[in-house]
């Protein structure tokens, strides 16, 4: 039963975080930040979001900027989901490099 609630909340947070990043990166051309996966702790207090960043060369700079602005992102998220959640979870962001890993494996297999 608890897993179903966690999955519903994770999907909700993934959708809302994606919209927040889309609206923020709309101002800067040539950058794309997508939320590939969201995991939430069983007590719903910690949200771990995995981000895919394009172009990958600027990923470090963008991740640093996102981590500096975690509180404002959480505030924006809270305004969006205040009717669905009582407590807004603490946000943690990690870079999802699974696509880079897949490309690397494909390149190795072609050689």
């Amino acid at each position: 039963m608890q897993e179903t609630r966690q999955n519903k909340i994770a999907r909700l947070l993934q959708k809302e975080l994606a919209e927040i990043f889309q609206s923020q990166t709309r101002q800067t051309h040539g950058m794309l930040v997508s939320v590939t996966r969201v995991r939430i702790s069983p007590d719903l207090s910690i949200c771990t979001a995995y981000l895919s960043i394009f172009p990958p060369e600027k990923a470090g700079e963008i991740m640093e900027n996102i981590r500096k602005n975690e509180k404002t992102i959480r505030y924006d998220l809270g305004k969006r989901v205040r009717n669905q959640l009582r407590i807004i979870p603490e946000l943690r962001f990690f870079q999802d490099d699974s696509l880079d890993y897949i490309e690397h494996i494909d390149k190795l297999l072609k050689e």
Side-chain angles (χ1 to χ4, degrees):
M1 194 68 142
Q2 181 70 14
E3 289 182 17
T4 306
R5 176 139 173 87
Q6 279 178 275
N7 291 336
K8 285 182 180 179
I9 291 174
R11 283 194 307 267
L12 172 70
L13 294 176
Q14 181 176 3
K15 178 181 161 269
E16 296 299 335
L17 283 171
E19 289 180 10
I20 289 171
F21 286 127
Q22 184 179 22
S23 66
Q24 287 180 351
T25 57
R26 189 175 291 147
Q27 300 159 357
T28 57
H29 301 289
M31 283 196 300
L32 178 66
V33 177
S34 60
V35 183
T36 57
R37 187 174 21 160
V38 170
R39 302 214 185 255
I40 191 141
S41 64
D43 63 349
L44 307 178
S45 65
I46 298 173
C47 171
T48 305
Y50 295 90
L51 307 176
S52 178
I53 300 171
F54 182 81
E57 298 83 34
K58 294 184 177 183
E61 174 187 334
I62 294 171
M63 285 301 294
E64 183 180 325
N65 191 12
I66 288 172
R67 287 194 179 110
K68 284 181 184 175
N69 294 315
E70 276 182 6
K71 291 185 194 275
T72 57
I73 295 170
R74 184 178 179 197
Y75 177 76
D76 291 342
L77 182 65
K79 287 195 306 189
R80 290 172 172 263
V81 298
R82 67 177 174 238
N83 295 329
Q84 288 98 347
L85 297 176
R86 189 178 341 163
I87 297 172
I88 307 305
E90 175 186 334
L91 299 175
R92 295 182 181 165
F93 296 104
F94 295 98
Q95 184 178 358
D96 184 11
D97 56 356
S98 60
L99 293 177
D100 297 333
Y101 182 72
I102 291 170
E103 285 180 18
H104 178 69
I105 296 296
D106 282 344
K107 188 175 102 177
L108 290 175
L109 290 174
K110 287 179 182 176
E111 292 176 358

